[in-house]
Each structure stands twice: as structure tokens, then as C-alpha cells.
């Protein structure tokens, strides 16, 4: 039987933002609309509160929450929506990058007062590189913020997007009166009461209707007419194809906290957001409608209970359907695995499922077979691409602090690296191990988890590295490459996959090396 009906009704997406813009609040309001939760406050923020960086109970608590909120699924208007959670904290940016390989679209939340922030820029850049369709939600309109047009300009310039508003605010902050919905051509008035039933949207198909003046006052009505005229003359018409191709980004305004502008966003989202998209593998493009199952691991979560060493591998289904107890090929290991209790995710719980479809995420219990990026198929030997490692920002030697426990340490490091907590490099010169991380926090996480989950102790030693670059010689046999390896031997290492990496100690030395060896390419991500 064909899966087309199930595929067409799936929307798998991520919400990204700079911390505090309102991602958690928006997620919660979307779940409320879907009837998946009954009251506000049910979704826990997985952000790490300021000042909590060395509180390990806090880290454990966060890990618990992040398992619970990894995938939040609900139904709305007969559409199955899967929200993939992305950590906001910048030290976990790499987690977010990986999750972005499993989404079919994203919603970017921007704080109306703060505008485009650093973390948003980085995340949107990754989405843009992959042509992921983006919807922008400008949040906190109940507060004073930047002028709407200035903000739209800022988004275009800083995020390099081409935007078109599908809703527009009427006033802002103290003066905030509501939203004009350009998509549905109606007005939604703001009462500031989050419990208000938002069904009573007022139909205003024609802005010249004098009723508008009675509704929001003459001055505000006049301003709105001018602004909408400007919007319509300056911004391109919305086209679904351009949005889905990543070339045009619709913008919505609202206040997640006040449940305002959220229904408009969701109604439009289910209509325009793409269902599961085809995905490139190392051999061919795989379509979701194909009969045979394929999928890939984009996240691994270790068990919180040290007595049970199994882990949960999150697999995004790309094609076919995934069935319980059917053997699938683990392509990297070349062996068949069968899963007796695959988990599907709902808003607040997970359950064993018999069948899952493209766009869905299944959680598979794993005793150490998986690492991030692994592909599972019905038998075909293909590997999904697109889960690169980025150059870490922080580097330290890792040493064994308890010689009796070297095996445990080895295993622990191995598994934590498979989970993608950090990257491991082995120096060519002396085989010493170097850990590279995105944020300083991960070193503490690793040390804590090695001790509590593997019974191993480690210590760190500083190492001066500016960037890790993956090395690609034009000809591995030429004299230039041989010279490079000889001269830079001290700075060379292998990553976990055995790829050669140059650990440059400064921006200057990197630049000099690039100049001296023009036939060698230096890449800042592991996939090139
Ligand atoms: P994040 O996940 O993106 O980090 O943001 P989160 O939803 O946790 O929101 C950050 C803060 O912004 C929260 O306040 C939240 O209540 C507030 N917020 C979200 N949406 C709106 C909005 O539309 N208007 C206004 N005025 N505030 C909004 P907090 O004080 O940090 O947390 P809490 O104590 O309220 O939970």
C-alpha cells in the first residue's frame, strides 16, 4: 500500500531562536492549539539558566528534560506535526546543527525589541545553506520594540533573507492593538488576555471599510492603511514554491506569551510548510514515497540511569515505512538489526509503535551500535550525507586520572563522542588525545559523565589551538603534501573517522600555511 497519504499529512520542523526570544513559549502555545497539552507551563524549557554552568544536578536535570522534549508530536487539522527540539544554549549549537539535518522546515523566533541576535544568525546561515524553508515569527509585540519596517530590513540584511510579511502589527507595546492578517485578510484584536478565545477574528476584506476606524480608532486605521499599502508595494507577493525552495520567507508578528498571532502562524504553517522532502545520499536522491525504508540517526541520548547502559538513538525516517521487529541493515556495520520496541513521540510521552512513516522520528534502544549520522535501510547500501562536524572552539588534552580504569575511560570517551558531545582528535606525533568542544561547558559535562556513567576519571591539560581544519590534498602523493606533513607534523591529528586534521595554533599560522601550500584545501567542516 502506498504511504502517500501519510507522507502528505506530515510536517516535521524545528523552532530556532536566540535564547529568551520565546521558543519554549511558542512551542507550548502550538501544543495547546493542537490539544496535545491542557495548560501552559507543561513544556519545560531546556535552556541552561545563567550561572548554572557548574551545577551538575542542573546538567542532569537538563538532560532529562531534553529527552522528554526531543520530539513533540501532535495533530492539528488532521496534520501530524513533529516539532524537533533544538537547544538554545550556544555551547550546544552543534546539537542544533545536527537536528537541522532532520527537519523539513523551520520557524525562526525573533524578539521584537532585540532584533536579530547572534545565535539566530548562525542557525539561519545553516538553514540557508541547505535551502530549508523558513517562516519568521516576530515575538513580544505586547512590548515596546523596533519599528516593523526597520526590523524587516534588519532581517533581510543580517540574515540574508528575502522576506514578505503575511501579518502586520497594529501599533506596538502599550499601543498594541492587534494584527492585520494579510494571508487571511482579517483583523485580530488584542485584549492582552491569554485565556481569550481567539476565534472572534474580525473579517476585514477591504481596509477602506469605515468599520476599521470604529474598531481601532481613526488614527491607527489610517496608519495601518498606509503601512499595508507600503507592504504590498515593497514586498514580493507570497508564493508557496519560492518559500518551499528557500528563496522567500514569510513573516508573522505576535506575542507567544499572550497567545496572540499564534493561530494565524499555525494555520498558515500547516497549509504552506513542506511535507517530508527527498534527501541526498552518497549514491542517489531518495524520495519519501519510495517503497523501501531508509532513515538516519541524527541524535543519540544516553540513558540517565547509569545501571542501564543503553541509549536512545533518534532516527528520522526518510522513505518507506519503519516497522517493529523487521530486520534493517545498519549500513556502516554491514549487519542486520531488529528493534522490538521502537518509540514514537507525543507531546509529553513516548510509546512503542508498530509502524512509522517518512517525517516521523523513532527512538531506538541501542547498546552501542549507533553513532550520529548512521544510516539504516531495508537492504540498500547507501549513506545519508549532511551531518558534518564543525571546527570546535575549545581544545584540551584529555588524560587518564585513574590508571586502573583506562578501559572504562576508553569506552566512555568513545561512546560520548558517538553521541556527539564533543570531538576527539589523536595527535599524529605521539597519539595523545585531544578533545574539541563548541563551548567550555562540555568539558565539565564530559568529566562528570565519565565519572558517573563509566566510573572513569579524567583530567585536562590546556592546548593552544585556534581552529581545526580538515585537510584535503589535491594529490596525496605530491611533494607539497609530503612537505606539509613533515613540517607541520606537530600540528596534525586524525579525527574519529581517520580523516587528517590540521590543528592551527593561530589565525596567522593558518593563513601562512594556506599560502605556503596552495594545492592543499583546508576545510572548517568535516564534510566537503
Ligand atoms: P526561549 O525558549 O527562546 O529561551 O524563551 P522562553 O520561551 O523561555 O521565553 C523567554 C522569556 O520571554 C520568558 O520570560 C517568557 O515568558 C517571555 N516571553 C515569551 N513570549 C513573550 C511575549 O510574547 N511577550 C512577553 N512580554 N514576554 C514573552 P522569563 O521571565 O524569562 O521566564 P518566565 O519566568 O516567564 O518563564
Amino acid at each position: 500500500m502506498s504511504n502517500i497519504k501519510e507522507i502528505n499529512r506530515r510536517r516535521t520542523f524545528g523552532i530556532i531562536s536566540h535564547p529568551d526570544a520565546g521558543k519554549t513559549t511558542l512551542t507550548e502555545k502550538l501544543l495547546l492549539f493542537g490539544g496535545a497539552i491542557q495548560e501552559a507551563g507543561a513544556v519545560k524549557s531546556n535552556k541552561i539558566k545563567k550561572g548554572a554552568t557548574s551545577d551538575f544536578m542542573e546538567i542532569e536535570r537538563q538532560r532529562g528534560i531534553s529527552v522528554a522534549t526531543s520530539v513533540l508530536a501532535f495533530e492539528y487539522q488532521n496534520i501530524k506535526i513533529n516539532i524537533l527540539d533544538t537547544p538554545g544554549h550556544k555551547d550546544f549549537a552543534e546539537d542544533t546543527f545536527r537536528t537541522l539535518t532532520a527537519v523539513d522546515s523551520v520557524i525562526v523566533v525573533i524578539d521584537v525589541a532585540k532584533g536579530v541576535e547572534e545565535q539566530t544568525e548562525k542557525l539561519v546561515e545553516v538553514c540557508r545553506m541547505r535551502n530549508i524553508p523558513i517562516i519568521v515569527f516576530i515575538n513580544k509585540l505586547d512590548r515596546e520594540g523596533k519599528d516593523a519596517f526597520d526590523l524587516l530590513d534588519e532581517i533581510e540584511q543580517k540574515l540574508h533573507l528575502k522576506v514578505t510579511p503575511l501579518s502586520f502589527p497594529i501599533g506596538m507595546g502599550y499601543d498594541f492593538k492587534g494584527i492585520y492578517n494579510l494571508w487571511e485578510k482579517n483583523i485580530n484584536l488584542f485584549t492582552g488576555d491569554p485565556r481569550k478565545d481567539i476565534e472572534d477574528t474580525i473579517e476585514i476584506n477591504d481596509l477602506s471599510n469605515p468599520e476599521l476606524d470604529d474598531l481601532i480608532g481613526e488614527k491607527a486605521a489610517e496608519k495601518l492603511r498606509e503601512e499595508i499599502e507600503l507592504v504590498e508595494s515593497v514586498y514580493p507577493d507570497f508564493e508557496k514554491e519560492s518559500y518551499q525552495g528557500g528563496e522567500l520567507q514569510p513573516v508573522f508578528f505576535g506575542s507567544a506569551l499572550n497567545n496572540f498571532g499564534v493561530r494565524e502562524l499555525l494555520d498558515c504553517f500547516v497549509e504552506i510548510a513542506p511535507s517530508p522532502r527527498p534527501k541526498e545520499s552518497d549514491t542517489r536522491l531518495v524520495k519519501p514515497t519510495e517503497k523501501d525504508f531508509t532513515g538516519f540517526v541524527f541524535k543519540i541520548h544516553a540513558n540517565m540511569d547509569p545501571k542501564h547502559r543503553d541509549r536512545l538513538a533518534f532516527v528520522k525516517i526518510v522513505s518507506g515505512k519503519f516497522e517493529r521487529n523487521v530486520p534493517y541493515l545498519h549500513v556502516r556495520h554491514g549487519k542486520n538489526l531488529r528493534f522490538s520496541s521502537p518509540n514514537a513521540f507525543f507531546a509529553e510521552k513516548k510509546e512503542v509503535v508498530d509502524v512509522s512513516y517518512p517525517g516521523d522520528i523513532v527512538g531506538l534502544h541501542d547498546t552501542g551500535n549507533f553513532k550520529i549520522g548512521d544510516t539504516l535501510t531495508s537492504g540498500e547500501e547507501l549513506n545519508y550525507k549532511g551531518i558534518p562536524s564543525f571546527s570546535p572552539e575549545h581544545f584540551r588534552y584529555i588524560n587518564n586520572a585513574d590508571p586502573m580504569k583506562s578501559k572504562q575511560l576508553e569506552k566512555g570517551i568513545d561512546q560520548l563522542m558517538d553521541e556527539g558531545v564533543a570531538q576527539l582528535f589523536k595527535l599524529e606525533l605521539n597519539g595523545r588525545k585531544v578533545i574539541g568542544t563548541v563551548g567550555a561547558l562540555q568539558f565539565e559535562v564530559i568529566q562528570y559523565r565519565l565519572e558517573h556513567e563509566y566510573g572513569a576519571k579524567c583530567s585536562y591539560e590546556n592546548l593552544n589551538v585556534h581552529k581545526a581544519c580538515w585537510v584535503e590534498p589535491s594529490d596525496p602523493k605530491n611533494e607539497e603534501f609530503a612537505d606539509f606533513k613533515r613540517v607541520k607534523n606537530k600540528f596534525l591529528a586524525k579525527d574519529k573517522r581517520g580523516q587528517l586534521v590540521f590543528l592551527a595554533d593561530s589565525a596567522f599560522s593558518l593563513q601562512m600555511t594556506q599560502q605556503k601550500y596552495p594545492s592543499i584545501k583546508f576545510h572548517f567542516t568535516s564534510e566537503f
Side-chain angles (χ1 to χ4, degrees):
M1 204 182 69
S2 146
N3 302 335
I4 291 179
K5 223 172 111 195
E6 288 299 333
I7 296 168
N8 284 345
R9 72 177 202 98
R10 273 169 174 70
R11 307 281 182 276
T12 301
F13 78 108
I15 304 181
I16 54 178
S17 73
H18 193 87
D20 274 349
K23 183 169 71 74
T24 311
T25 314
L26 179 64
T27 306
E28 185 169 281
K29 298 299 148 117
L30 294 175
L31 293 175
L32 278 170
F33 273 113
I37 53 171
Q38 305 311 323
E39 57 186 316
V43 179
K44 299 282 178 297
S45 166
N46 74 354
K47 68 186 164 188
I48 294 183
K49 297 270 186 233
K50 286 181 202 84
T53 47
S54 47
D55 179 348
F56 294 110
M57 287 319 287
E58 178 70 3
I59 289 171
E60 285 297 278
R61 194 182 68 80
Q62 301 292 354
R63 285 180 57 218
I65 291 170
S66 87
V67 179
T69 59
S70 284
V71 184
L72 297 161
F74 66 97
E75 299 238 350
Y76 182 74
Q77 295 178 356
N78 200 28
I79 298 285
K80 164 105 190 275
I81 297 176
N82 296 313
I83 306 183
L84 305 197
D85 191 40
T86 56
H89 195 287
K90 71 169 177 22
D91 284 9
F92 294 97
E94 195 142 348
D95 254 15
T96 302
F97 293 142
R98 284 191 291 255
T99 299
L100 290 178
T101 62
V103 303
D104 297 303
S105 71
V106 300
I107 294 180
V108 180
V109 183
I110 290 174
D111 182 321
V112 70
K114 296 198 178 128
V116 174
E117 295 172 272
E118 188 196 340
Q119 198 62 12
T120 321
E121 278 184 67
K122 284 198 192 139
L123 295 171
V124 168
E125 193 182 328
V126 175
C127 296
R128 251 193 9 251
M129 271 160 41
R130 305 215 166 105
N131 292 327
I132 298 176
I134 300 173
I135 295 179
V136 179
F137 182 73
I138 298 178
N139 191 26
K140 307 195 186 181
L141 264 289
D142 57 316
R143 287 201 186 153
E144 286 307 322
K146 300 187 180 189
D147 170 76
F149 287 106
D150 289 348
L151 206 46
L152 292 170
D153 280 353
E154 186 179 326
I155 292 169
E156 291 206 316
Q157 274 157 23
K158 285 200 180 157
L159 300 179
H160 309 282
L161 298 179
K162 193 165 178 207
V163 299
T164 189
L166 287 187
S167 79
F168 207 79
I170 309 169
M172 180 185 296
Y174 183 72
D175 261 344
F176 182 50
K177 295 196 167 55
I179 300 273
Y180 178 63
N181 186 339
L182 285 103
W183 174 251
E184 291 170 4
K185 298 251 184 293
N186 58 29
I187 277 183
N188 189 354
L189 291 182
F190 180 57
T191 60
D193 178 356
R195 288 158 309 177
K196 188 181 145 282
D197 186 0
I198 305 180
E199 295 309 306
D200 57 348
T201 322
I202 298 154
E203 290 291 331
I204 294 275
N205 288 318
D206 180 3
L207 279 181
S208 59
N209 189 335
E211 228 182 283
L212 183 66
D213 302 65
D214 301 336
L215 275 173
I216 60 174
E218 225 171 274
K219 226 169 108 195
E222 206 41 53
K223 187 156 177 260
L224 179 66
R225 288 186 185 106
E226 280 169 17
E227 285 177 336
I228 297 301
E229 203 181 310
L230 194 59
V231 166
E232 284 171 345
S233 64
V234 170
Y235 296 100
D237 287 343
F238 176 76
E239 275 174 23
K240 194 165 154 179
E241 296 70 41
S242 312
Y243 151 71
Q244 289 200 352
E247 292 141 28
L248 183 68
Q249 289 77 28
V251 179
F252 286 84
F253 291 82
S255 164
L257 188 66
N258 292 288
N259 214 350
F260 199 81
V262 179
R263 186 193 56 81
E264 287 81 348
L265 175 73
L266 185 57
D267 282 350
C268 181
F269 174 83
V270 292
E271 205 168 309
I272 67 171
S275 48
R277 309 203 293 173
K279 190 166 171 71
E280 200 62 64
S281 75
D282 56 353
T283 55
R284 64 190 186 84
L285 187 73
V286 181
K287 296 203 195 84
T289 46
E290 291 181 19
K291 197 172 110 289
D292 291 333
F293 160 75
T294 63
F296 66 97
V297 178
F298 67 95
K299 181 181 183 120
I300 293 177
H301 222 293
N303 201 314
M304 304 279 294
D305 180 353
K307 285 191 231 83
H308 300 274
R309 194 54 68 66
D310 68 336
R311 311 185 287 179
L312 202 58
F314 290 78
V315 174
K316 160 97 185 264
I317 296 163
V318 179
S319 68
K321 59 183 171 193
F322 180 94
E323 289 175 279
R324 190 159 81 95
N325 279 328
V326 169
Y328 292 116
L329 176 67
H330 182 302
V331 180
R332 184 170 55 89
H333 285 333
K335 66 177 181 190
N336 282 321
L337 300 175
R338 181 196 299 269
F339 303 91
S340 59
S341 53
N343 282 300
F345 301 87
F346 301 96
E348 287 170 293
K349 56 182 193 300
K350 51 184 174 40
E351 266 172 20
V352 172
V353 276
D354 291 326
V355 188
S356 304
Y357 296 94
D360 285 340
I361 310 299
V362 285
L364 305 178
H365 290 283
D366 169 42
T367 45
N369 283 313
F370 286 122
K371 75 181 190 190
I372 282 179
D374 279 350
T375 303
L376 278 179
T377 72
S378 294
E380 188 175 346
E381 294 203 8
L382 59 79
N383 285 290
Y384 282 110
K385 302 202 288 189
I387 306 210
S389 301
F390 293 81
S391 172
E393 304 283 327
H394 304 266
F395 298 83
R396 288 185 199 166
Y397 285 119
I398 182 163
N399 300 323
N400 187 358
D402 181 353
M404 304 296 288
K405 299 282 171 63
S406 57
K407 266 216 172 98
Q408 285 87 331
L409 183 75
E410 195 86 6
K411 184 170 179 203
I413 293 178
D414 212 44
Q415 295 208 344
L416 291 182
M417 298 307 126
D418 283 354
E419 260 181 58
V421 176
Q423 292 179 58
L424 183 72
F425 303 99
K426 233 186 220 161
L427 289 187
E428 290 277 88
L429 186 67
N430 51 20
R432 285 192 75 181
K433 287 179 178 153
V434 173
I435 300 269
T437 67
V438 178
L441 185 57
Q442 267 101 338
F443 289 110
E444 299 177 43
V445 174
I446 292 169
Q447 202 166 33
Y448 177 85
R449 290 190 54 192
L450 282 173
E451 192 170 340
H452 287 81
E453 292 169 33
Y454 299 91
K457 283 202 170 85
C458 76
S459 64
Y460 297 113
E461 216 176 298
N462 281 338
L463 173 71
N464 179 30
V465 177
H466 163 68
K467 272 238 149 62
C469 315
W470 280 265
V471 177
E472 185 192 14
S474 62
D475 173 8
K477 293 203 183 73
N478 76 6
E479 186 47 41
E480 190 177 318
F481 188 53
D483 185 59
F484 166 76
K485 286 206 292 191
R486 202 168 42 244
V487 174
K488 296 291 176 192
N489 186 247
K490 214 170 97 187
F491 301 99
L492 294 181
K494 289 263 169 69
D495 73 1
K496 260 207 99 183
R497 291 193 295 170
Q499 280 181 297
L500 190 65
V501 177
F502 173 50
L503 303 175
D505 57 352
S506 70
F508 178 72
S509 88
L510 174 59
Q511 200 187 354
M512 296 309 288
T513 310
Q514 281 169 319
Q515 274 170 15
K516 189 170 169 200
Y517 302 103
S519 80
I520 301 174
K521 284 198 184 117
F522 296 89
H523 301 276
F524 296 103
T525 71
S526 65
E527 224 169 63
F528 36 83

